[in-house]
Structure formats: C-alpha cells, structure tokens
Amino acid sequence: MPTLVIAALLLWPRLSDSAGDEHRVKVETGVIAKMRDGVALTADVYRPADGGRFPTLLQRTPYDRRGEVMAAYDLAAAGYVVIVQDVRGRYGSEGEFDPFRHEAEDGYDSVEWAASLPWSDGRVGMFGGSYVGATQMLAAMAMPPHLVAVSPTLTASEYYEGWTYQGGALMQLFTSSWASQLAIDTLGRKATAALRPQEWVRGAPVEAYPLLEVAPPAELAPYYRDWIAHEASDEYWRAVKVSDHYGQMAIKGLHTGGWHDIFLMGSIQNFIGLRGTAATPEARRDQRLLLGPWAHAPTSPEGKIGDVVFGQEAVPVETERAWFDYALKGVSNEYATQPPVRLFVMGENAWRYEDEFPLARARTTRYYLHAGRDRSAGSLRLERPGRSPAATYEYDPEQPAPTLGGRLCCGDFIPRGPYDQRPLESRPDVLVFSTPPLERDVEVTGFVGLELHAASSAVDTDFTAILADVEPGGYARFLTDGILRARYRNSTSAPEPIVPGQIYKYSIDLWATSNLFRAGHRMRLYVSSSNFPRFDRNRNTGEAVLGATRSIKARQTVFLDRDHPSALVLPIVPR
C-alpha cells in the first residue's frame, strides 16, 4: 500500500440525521497515493471513528477536493470510508492536467489503493458529477477489480460527441468557458513556483522576473488547441471513448441526467450501453437511470430551472446514500424494488417509473414540415406534403442566430435551461413550423430527430433545429436542440464536402426529452444554420476550424415536397 502522508487528523460528530447514521467521523487530510508512474495524488479521507472495515466511496475531482466536505461527512457518518482526491495536475496533486488522458490509469490505481486501505472492506464505489462522472467512467473502462458500483451524474459517454462536439460542430461556449475555469488553478500553480525568490533573485538581468513569463496561453490550456485540431472523431478521441468498452465492464451504475443538461445524451447512453452489453448478468441488471428536468446549474428551492418553475418535485435530492446502500451493502430499498428507470415528465411535472429507455410503447411519429405564407408561418402536420414550395433563407456567419438558454455550461452570461424562443421568430435566417393548437394532450418521451432535405450554395454549412412547447399565451419553452455540420453528415470521422446546390438528406439528432404537450399548446420547430455561441459558427468555406477566419454567406434551401418530405420525428407515448 502506498505511504500515507497525513497533514491533519480531525474528529467530527455525526452530521446527518438520516435513519441509521450513527458514526462519528475522522478526517485525514493530505493523504498521498502514488500512481504507477510515481506521480503523487492528494486526497482527504473521511471514515467512521469507531473502527472496523467499511465499503469505500471514492471521488476524483479537478475542482478541489476541499469543496466536498459536507457530502463526505454525511456519507462517512452513514458507514462509508469516503475518499476525495484531486486528480493529476490539480490543486494538491502532482503532475500535469490533461483532461481525460490519465483518468483511466489513475482511476484504476486509485481504486485499488482505496481498496487496500486498512479501513476498507474491499468494495469500492465512485460518485460525483460532470467531469467527476467522467473520472468514474474512465476508471471503469480500465476495469479495476475492486470497483463495484458508480454513480455518475450529468456526464458524458465519450468526449468527442456530446462533450466537445455535437454533430461535428464545436460546443464552443462550453469548451472555452470550461477551459477558462480550469486555467485558473493552472495559472496559480505556475505562479506559485515563479514567486519563490530564492530561485531567481541571483539571476540577471533583473527584469527577468519569471512571473512575467510564467504562463503563456499555450501553457494554461494546451488541450483546448488539441480539441480544435482534432475536429473529427479520430484516434485522439477514440483513446478515451468509454462507450467502446461497455462490454468489458462489470459495474453497477446509477446514471443521473437532466433534460436540459449539456451531457444528457451521455447519461442515457451509459445506461443503455451497460444495460445491454455489460460483462455480467448482474451488471446488466443493476443499471439505473434517473432523468429530471435539470440543467447543468443549481435548481432553486422552488424547482425553478431557467425561467420555468417545475415545482418542488423537481428539486434534486441526494441519491448516493440510497444507491450505495443497495449496491455495496445489499439494502433492500427502492433500487431493489422499483423499475430501473425513473423520469420526470415536463408539462405534467410528475415523476414516473419505467422498465426501459427509450420506451417500448412509444410510437415513432412523423410531423411533416409544410410551407406557410412566409418563413415564420410553416406548419407541422401528420399528412405527407404534396407539391409544396421550398423555404429559403440566407445564413451569414457574421450575424448568427443567438443561443437562448438551453443546454449550456459553464459561464453565467447566457442563462441555462428552458427559456422563451420567440425572439428567434423575427429573424430572417430562421424557419418556423408549428402544429395547430392541440386538441388533446400529447406526450413525447424519448429520442427526437429531424429529417431535413436541404441544399446550400456553400461547400459546407450547418443546419440546426430547436423544439419548443408553445403555450396559448405564446411563450415558447425550449425543450431540445440539435445541429449537424454538413461535411460530417455521414460520419464524424470522415468529412465529406457537399456539392453546392445539390439536395442532401440531413438526419439531425435532437437528443431526447420527456414532455406533455397540453391541449391548446402547439409544438414548434425552429430550423436555421446557427445557434451561437452554444456551437461555433460554420463559416461556409469548408476550411478546418483551427485557424479559420474567412466567412462567406450561404443561401439555404429546405425542401418540403412529396419527393423530399422533411419531417420532425417524435416518440409519441399513448395515454
């Protein structure tokens, strides 16, 4: 077992009032674990003070282990050894941080180290959200023998599609804002080293003050340039593609996602992939999926997300305790007795258990796009189009359609979650298609897609889509969105330019939702070629993203006729 370096030892009373919590908690800070290459990672260990061996919960975070104090105390008080560790190159840990690249090997080594501690009974679980969910899935990809269960929250299944890119388009707002947040600690680490006067005061000239050159931009987030350089899903990304390894994993998993979360699809795919192909029958059986209305942001006490109040039922509750009680201790609770999927139906604002996702009883239904009197008055109908004129618009990359809420992270200058999409309707580069007011309630639960027949005057361009629930008063609530970069229409690993003027069928993935469209409401689809800055602007030139500055306008034509039946594809759940 690696040497333990203990900076402090504290004794805490029980912090939780939950039934069965009966342990005082010891805390050991600054505990060092050596990785296989000798790099030292730092952790804090919380454990029951009354001795014995307990299941162990490990969290590996780039966001500072000291921010998880309260959750760690409560889990330790409930009879777990809880370890919160800074990942490589972050806060108290040695090494250089390179997102995803070391998490499989470091995760394996950290799990096995945790299982070897004298207070551990050898059963290890992992928990946490966002990148902390990635550290779990990448560790599971390496198959450490003592990893029994995970609880990844609001995280991805791979780090090309759904983390850095979507449909071939760079998720620009997220990647840049996340890299900016990560760079703060990187800058602090480099500045701390430079500010040691004994290392430079004897040098010359005196203006060779190292802080002046401590962190050129390329040293603060070099991985950001790598992400842009690898705009196709090549070997750079396949090395950390978790979904390629589901069949080798033998872990139990509680996968928690949000309908408005930027990583929604990854949460769903992790559940589906492991439930269908995990290495053992027990692992396949013990996958759970929890889908709420959440965004990648806090939910208010009244259940407000974005500018919509979903009610008290939408307020997240801690799930780790009950999940690990079942998965690691064998407690017969809701995870033993209830169906594997629990989802929140927006519009109805109610939870429901299901046996699978997507729902087997959902009926794939096409709402065809029909031309209107102008670009904002198109219709969605169940009947196929006949001889219908095409719809056209001009897309100017210098004047892109703005992002209005939705699936965002991690800055606060654009709000996250559901917001009113009506401002898009006045733009000349947005096509709008709506149903008439619905005569009855219609539930849409599952995967949503758009089959779009279109042509462009450019050699490359984007097509975007947003689905909204329109209330009788006009408020158009965001539900889900998607994008497809034309050169990646057939494969994100093999770009193919388009022929200007030629008609192509674009299958745009709008991910998933669960929403009850009430009688009197409308379904509304927005079609355009930009959603900025959620996605980077396609400059229509076909050039690589890295280094591109030149833009041209594109004339876009969306076909709506019998031979080119563009359609919104919805999973309708019978009621």
Side-chain angles (χ1 to χ4, degrees):
M1 183 180 70
T3 303
L4 301 183
V5 179
I6 301 173
L9 181 62
L10 306 174
L11 187 64
W12 287 82
R14 187 184 68 195
L15 297 181
S16 173
D17 293 326
S18 300
D21 288 359
E22 55 185 19
H23 301 280
R24 291 187 303 160
V25 176
K26 279 187 176 180
V27 183
E28 300 178 48
T29 63
V31 181
I32 299 299
K34 290 290 186 72
M35 300 295 100
R36 64 188 67 183
D37 61 356
V39 170
L41 304 188
T42 302
D44 296 337
V45 179
Y46 305 74
R47 59 185 174 87
D50 43 355
R53 293 177 178 268
F54 300 89
T56 300
L57 301 181
L58 171 65
Q59 181 176 114
R60 306 190 62 252
T61 179
Y63 305 123
D64 194 347
R65 70 189 191 281
R66 295 165 294 185
E68 296 297 324
V69 172
M70 297 303 292
Y73 287 159
D74 277 359
L75 288 168
Y80 292 92
V81 176
V82 182
I83 302 170
V84 186
Q85 181 188 69
D86 291 328
V87 301
R88 178 184 296 247
R90 301 292 293 169
Y91 295 92
S93 290
E94 295 178 352
E96 293 295 323
F97 179 65
D98 189 354
F100 318 116
R101 297 293 145 186
H102 301 285
E103 306 303 0
E105 291 182 352
D106 286 355
Y108 182 105
D109 293 351
S110 297
V111 167
E112 295 306 294
W113 165 76
S116 73
L117 294 175
W119 321 290
S120 175
D121 69 2
R123 293 173 293 175
V124 179
M126 297 183 74
F127 70 103
S130 195
Y131 190 87
V132 183
T135 65
Q136 298 174 59
M137 297 307 297
L138 286 162
M141 189 175 84
M143 297 174 290
H146 290 91
L147 182 59
V148 177
V150 295
S151 180
T153 301
L154 307 182
T155 199
S157 59
E158 59 171 288
Y159 307 106
Y160 173 82
E161 184 69 27
W163 186 290
T164 308
Y165 290 84
Q166 183 176 329
L170 177 70
M171 297 165 68
Q172 186 172 356
L173 179 61
F174 165 63
T175 54
S176 58
S177 58
W178 185 55
S180 297
Q181 291 181 7
L182 293 171
I184 294 172
D185 177 58
T186 303
L187 177 60
R189 294 162 71 90
K190 292 179 180 293
T192 298
L195 289 173
R196 296 173 184 143
Q198 68 274 18
E199 297 181 9
W200 64 270
V201 294
R202 297 183 184 278
V206 294
E207 66 268 22
Y209 177 38
L211 193 60
L212 298 178
E213 299 180 359
V214 65
E219 293 184 8
L220 287 180
Y223 38 82
Y224 185 76
R225 186 180 180 87
D226 292 342
W227 298 341
I228 300 171
H230 295 272
E231 62 174 276
S233 55
D234 56 17
E235 289 301 322
Y236 174 86
W237 299 107
R238 280 190 282 274
V240 290
K241 189 174 180 180
V242 170
S243 55
D244 283 348
H245 299 269
Y246 290 143
Q248 301 160 7
M249 299 181 189
I251 53 166
K252 305 174 185 180
L254 169 62
H255 309 276
T256 302
W259 295 126
H260 300 105
D261 181 56
I262 193 169
F263 305 132
L264 167 66
M265 202 60 164
S267 298
I268 295 173
Q269 294 295 2
N270 283 333
F271 167 78
I272 292 174
L274 287 168
R275 187 166 176 80
T277 64
T280 67
E282 180 186 25
R284 293 192 292 273
R285 182 182 68 245
D286 278 332
Q287 302 299 320
R288 303 290 183 269
L289 180 63
L290 176 65
L291 294 171
W294 310 305
H296 213 86
T299 302
S300 73
E302 68 272 19
K304 185 176 182 181
I305 301 161
D307 63 1
V308 177
V309 177
F310 290 96
Q312 290 283 335
E313 287 295 309
V315 178
V317 297
E318 292 295 332
T319 56
E320 283 87 0
R321 164 74 185 279
W323 167 246
F324 289 118
D325 282 353
Y326 166 73
L328 297 182
K329 294 183 177 180
V331 174
S332 183
N333 56 25
E334 62 267 33
Y335 292 106
T337 60
Q338 296 288 0
V341 176
R342 190 176 185 228
L343 55 84
F344 187 92
V345 183
M346 297 180 291
E348 187 175 30
N349 294 348
W351 289 97
R352 190 172 71 212
Y353 282 100
E354 295 287 352
D355 291 325
E356 73 279 311
F357 193 91
L359 311 187
R361 68 183 184 281
R363 299 172 181 169
T364 300
T365 305
R366 283 172 171 77
Y367 285 78
Y368 294 96
L369 281 59
H370 292 256
R373 62 182 181 278
D374 58 46
R375 47 145 209 92
S376 64
S379 61
L380 295 172
R381 305 181 206 165
L382 293 174
E383 61 266 25
R384 293 175 64 93
R387 294 187 177 183
S388 181
T392 63
Y393 61 93
E394 183 179 78
Y395 162 52
D396 180 359
E398 301 302 323
Q399 300 292 329
T403 299
L404 303 174
R407 297 187 177 116
L408 299 171
C409 181
C410 294
D412 293 328
F413 54 93
I414 297 180
R416 300 170 234 177
Y419 278 85
D420 193 352
Q421 302 299 298
R422 280 180 294 180
L424 295 175
E425 296 168 18
S426 61
R427 291 186 59 92
D429 57 353
V430 178
L431 304 178
V432 183
F433 302 88
S434 307
T435 64
L438 299 173
E439 296 180 357
R440 59 179 179 83
D441 292 354
V442 177
E443 181 186 331
V444 172
T445 296
F447 298 121
V448 178
L450 175 61
E451 298 171 348
L452 193 73
H453 296 264
S456 176
S457 63
V459 295
D460 187 54
T461 195
D462 288 349
F463 289 101
T464 63
I466 296 172
L467 176 63
D469 181 337
V470 183
E471 299 175 359
Y475 178 84
R477 173 167 57 90
F478 172 94
L479 286 176
T480 189
D481 64 1
I483 189 169
L484 184 60
R485 186 145 292 177
R487 66 179 181 265
Y488 294 114
R489 65 196 178 279
N490 294 321
S491 170
T492 55
S493 62
E496 303 171 50
I498 58 175
V499 176
Q502 184 169 318
I503 302 173
Y504 296 91
K505 179 180 178 181
Y506 297 96
S507 297
I508 303 174
D509 186 354
L510 276 73
W511 288 14
T513 193
S514 181
N515 187 70
L516 184 67
F517 291 87
R518 293 289 191 181
H521 288 220
R522 298 171 185 259
M523 301 175 184
R524 181 161 294 164
L525 176 71
Y526 300 87
V527 175
S528 188
S529 290
S530 53
N531 181 350
F532 180 79
R534 169 152 160 66
F535 303 108
D536 73 311
R537 298 166 291 168
N538 193 318
R539 297 182 177 275
N540 299 326
T541 63
E543 297 173 306
V545 173
L546 186 64
T549 58
R550 185 173 62 93
S551 295
I552 61 172
K553 297 177 182 179
R555 187 70 176 172
Q556 316 289 53
T557 304
V558 175
F559 293 87
L560 311 168
D561 57 67
R562 178 186 306 144
D563 296 327
H564 307 97
S566 296
L568 174 66
V569 184
L570 298 178
I572 304 297
V573 178
R575 283 193 165 225

